[in-house]
């Protein structure tokens, strides 16, 4: 059976006239007539289109050994057409790349909702079926395994059915419409090409393969259901709102990057590290600016020059890489120091006198106890170092758990001009100061042996700490409170001088627990109020 005879049979079986088939193929009716009379053969791309229209393979269409159309259909029904699957995937990708963002999002939302409805329907159907099956097989006894097996089969079958339905709806609602738009576009391009060629042979021709841009799916005659359009629009507006909020953040970030770039310019003149940071900031500014432009284009439904955007992004990445490399090279010459190791430290020294229950409060610093038996009586010399350009230091006494605490307090002496000048001066010497480190060095406490023992003994009543022996005395660090009081409706306090818990109500009872640690014994008081046992309570004298 020749090609023309099979084309006639396929055309008539599918209800197409020669004019209708010619319009689908974007050719004249005379061309179709010549093909059917076996006078000429269509071009390869037209044969492919014919195969897609009539759902048959190219081999079956042009192979004269295939004698009738029924044989072609039986062969198609018994095999899986890989070409058809690949064509479906290709056409889907082409469609989505040609659609506007809004149309593509509406398509995805519509298919998702259909899939959810199908899944919900399947859930109901499977549950009803398993319930009926349980009733019918109740005489067996335990039907758990049987019903689960059948439910799994039904679930898998319904899943396949859902996929088939979604793909079929996608094909008839979108892919077929996309084919129609493409064919109409090709037809219009061909007419325009003929007109241009007639007017001016030297003018730029409109190519037949020009792609369709920004296809709006679907047309006004085939709008999706109203609730789907409402949901799609809500999702689109929500995404635009999120994009707007993100753009506000991006604009603020861009402003911050520009400010940082300007501030760092003087530092870049003295350090490769900051030169690299500034070059990196240029890359960050370009990327942030690109994000802002892309988001605004999305918000106002404007097209994006993808090629230009990719070029700018790649350039920003390259600039950022160059900046990072320069920064790493400059980093090797930078010395990072703690504040306590600065060359601009001065001494803070104060002489105090020992009194009953006096202890040195650490306030987060290590304490070095130095034994000097040349110091007479119970005199104590406190010494530490600090950077007076950055901080102010003074001492004060406080009462804690009925003990007298001596501590050194640090106050910031910073302002923008001060810190800027200090930072720039240090940078010229390739020094960076870690301002998050301790403001003070080790607090040194110098006294005779007896006084040192009393101070450390008093500290042990308040804190647990790690003690390390040195040539001149001891160093203490890693402080934590020795006593923890958990109050539940009680009012009281711990007295470290007597190691007792003072409460002000008979209705309040405290349970004492101890925990041994490598630093010493930790004490925990759990105090609760017992209303049931002592309704007529009386207050004791405060903190007896």
């Amino acid at each position: 059976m020749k090609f023309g005879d099979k084309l006639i049979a396929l055309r008539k079986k599918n209800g197409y006239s020669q004019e209708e088939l010619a319009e689908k193929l974007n050719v004249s009716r005379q061309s179709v007539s010549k093909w059917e009379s076996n006078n000429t053969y269509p071009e390869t791309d037209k044969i492919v289109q014919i195969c897609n229209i009539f759902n048959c393979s190219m081999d079956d269409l042009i192979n004269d050994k295939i004698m009738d159309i029924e044989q072609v259909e039986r062969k198609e029904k018994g095999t899986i057409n890989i070409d058809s699957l690949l064509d479906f995937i290709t056409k889907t990708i082409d469609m989505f790349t040609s659609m506007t963002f809004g149309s593509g999002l509406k398509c995805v939302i519509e298919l998702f909702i259909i899939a959810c409805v199908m899944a919900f329907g399947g859930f109901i159907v499977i549950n009803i079926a398993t319930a009926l099956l349980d009733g019918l097989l109740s005489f067996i006894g335990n039907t758990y395994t049987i019903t689960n097996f059948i439910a799994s089969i039904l679930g898998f079958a319904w899943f396949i059915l859902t996929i088939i339905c979604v793909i079929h709806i996608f094909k008839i609602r979108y892919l077929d419409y996309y084919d129609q738009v493409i064919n109409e576009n090709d037809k219009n391009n061909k007419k325009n090409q003929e007109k241009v060629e007639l007017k001016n042979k030297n003018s730029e021709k409109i190519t037949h393969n020009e792609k369709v841009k920004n296809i709006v799916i679907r047309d006004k005659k085939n709008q999706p259901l109203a609730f789907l359009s409402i949901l799609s629009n809500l999702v689109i507006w929500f995404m635009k709102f999120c994009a707007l909020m993100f753009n506000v953040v991006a604009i603020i970030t861009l402003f911050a990057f520009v400010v940082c770039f300007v501030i760092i310019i003087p530092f870049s003149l003295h350090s490769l590290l900051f030169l690299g940071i500034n070059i990196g900031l240029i890359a960050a500014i370009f990327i942030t600016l690109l994000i802002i432009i892309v988001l605004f284009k999305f918000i106002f439904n404007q097209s994006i020059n993808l090629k230009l955007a990719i070029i700018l992004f790649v350039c920003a990445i390259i600039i950022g890489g160059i900046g990072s490399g320069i920064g790493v090279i400059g980093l090797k010459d930078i010395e990072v120091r703690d504040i306590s190791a600065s060359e601009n430290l001065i001494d803070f020294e104060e002489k105090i006198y020992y009194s009953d229950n006096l202890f040195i409060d650490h306030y987060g610093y290590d304490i070095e106890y130095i034994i000097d038996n040349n110091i007479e009586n119970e005199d104590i010399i406190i010494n530490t170092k600090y950077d007076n350009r950055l901080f102010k230091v003074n001492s004060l006494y406080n009462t804690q758990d009925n003990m007298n605490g001596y501590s050194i307090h640090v106050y910031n002496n910073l302002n923008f001009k001060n810190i800027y000048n200090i930072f720039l001066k240090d940078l010229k010497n390739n020094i960076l100061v870690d301002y998050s480190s301790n403001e003070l060095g080790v607090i040194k406490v110098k006294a005779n042996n007896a006084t040192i023992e009393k101070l450390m003994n008093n500290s042990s009543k308040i804190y647990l700490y790690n003690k390390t022996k040195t040539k001149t005395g001891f160093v203490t660090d890693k402080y934590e409170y020795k006593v923890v009081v958990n109050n539940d409706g009680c009012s009281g306090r711990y007295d470290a001088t007597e190691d007792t818990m003072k409460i002000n109500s008979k209705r309040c009872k405290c349970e004492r627990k101890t925990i041994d640690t490598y630093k010493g014994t930790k004490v925990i008081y759990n105090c609760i109020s017992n209303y049931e046992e002592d309704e007529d309570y009386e207050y004791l004298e405060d903190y007896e």
Side-chain angles (χ1 to χ4, degrees), residues 11-272:
R11 177 175 59 78
K12 289 182 177 180
K13 186 170 183 177
N14 287 273
Y16 292 124
S17 64
Q18 286 187 342
E19 290 81 0
E20 291 172 337
L21 180 59
E23 185 176 356
K24 281 185 170 295
L25 297 173
N26 197 25
V27 296
S28 63
R29 185 195 64 80
Q30 289 78 8
S31 297
V32 175
S33 177
K34 290 179 181 180
W35 298 341
E36 291 182 350
S37 62
N38 294 310
N39 289 330
T40 59
Y41 273 93
E43 297 175 353
T44 304
D45 61 329
K46 298 302 179 185
I47 295 177
V48 172
Q49 290 185 43
I50 293 170
C51 293
N52 291 334
I53 293 171
F54 297 123
N55 196 24
C56 63
S57 69
M58 186 183 297
D59 181 66
D60 293 333
L61 190 63
I62 63 178
N63 189 356
D64 292 342
K65 293 181 180 180
I66 303 297
M67 298 306 297
D68 55 48
I69 296 302
E70 298 297 328
Q71 184 178 353
V72 173
E73 290 184 342
R74 284 195 300 270
K75 184 176 180 181
E76 287 299 317
K77 290 178 181 178
T79 60
I80 299 175
N81 195 333
I82 300 299
D83 291 337
S84 177
L85 174 63
L86 296 176
D87 181 66
F88 174 81
I89 295 172
T90 303
K91 192 180 295 184
T92 300
I93 295 173
D94 289 341
M95 187 193 78
F96 275 108
T97 54
S98 301
M99 290 167 66
T100 61
F101 178 82
S103 296
L105 184 61
K106 287 180 180 180
C107 171
V108 172
I109 292 174
E110 180 178 339
L111 296 176
F112 177 74
I113 293 174
I114 292 171
C116 290
V117 171
M118 288 289 295
F120 181 72
F123 175 78
I124 294 174
V125 170
I126 292 171
N127 277 276
I128 292 174
T130 52
L132 292 174
L133 192 62
D134 275 335
L136 293 174
L137 300 178
S138 58
F139 64 92
I140 296 177
N142 188 2
T143 61
Y144 179 79
T145 303
I146 298 174
T147 53
N148 273 358
F149 177 72
I150 295 176
S152 299
I153 294 175
L154 290 175
F156 180 74
W158 195 271
F159 175 73
I160 298 299
L161 178 63
T162 300
I163 293 177
I164 293 173
C165 290
V166 170
I167 292 176
H168 182 68
I169 293 171
F170 172 69
K171 180 180 181 302
I172 61 176
R173 282 190 58 78
Y174 291 98
L175 283 185
D176 291 347
Y177 177 74
Y178 175 72
D179 283 338
Q180 180 182 344
V181 172
I182 292 296
N183 290 332
E184 290 178 357
N185 185 75
D186 287 344
K187 186 176 180 180
N188 292 333
N189 285 343
K190 187 173 181 180
K191 290 180 179 180
N192 291 334
Q193 183 179 1
E194 291 175 353
K195 290 180 180 179
V196 170
E197 288 177 349
L198 289 173
K199 289 182 179 180
N200 188 357
K201 291 184 179 181
N202 296 324
S203 64
E204 184 178 356
K205 297 181 180 181
I206 301 176
T207 60
H208 179 70
N209 294 323
E210 183 179 354
K211 293 184 178 179
V212 181
K213 294 183 179 179
N214 297 331
I215 297 176
V216 179
I217 302 286
R218 295 183 39 88
D219 59 337
K220 295 181 180 181
K221 296 180 181 179
N222 295 284
Q223 287 288 344
L225 298 176
F227 80 95
L228 293 177
S229 295
I230 294 173
L231 287 175
S232 301
N233 289 330
L234 286 175
V235 171
I236 292 173
W237 280 108
F238 175 75
M239 293 181 66
K240 288 186 176 182
F241 175 77
C242 293
L244 180 62
M245 294 298 100
F246 188 81
N247 226 4
V248 172
V249 176
I251 291 172
I252 296 173
T253 304
L254 178 64
F255 176 79
F257 282 154
V258 173
V259 171
C260 291
F261 175 80
V262 174
I263 292 174
I264 295 176
I265 288 176
F267 303 130
S268 302
L269 303 176
H270 304 286
S271 171
L272 285 178

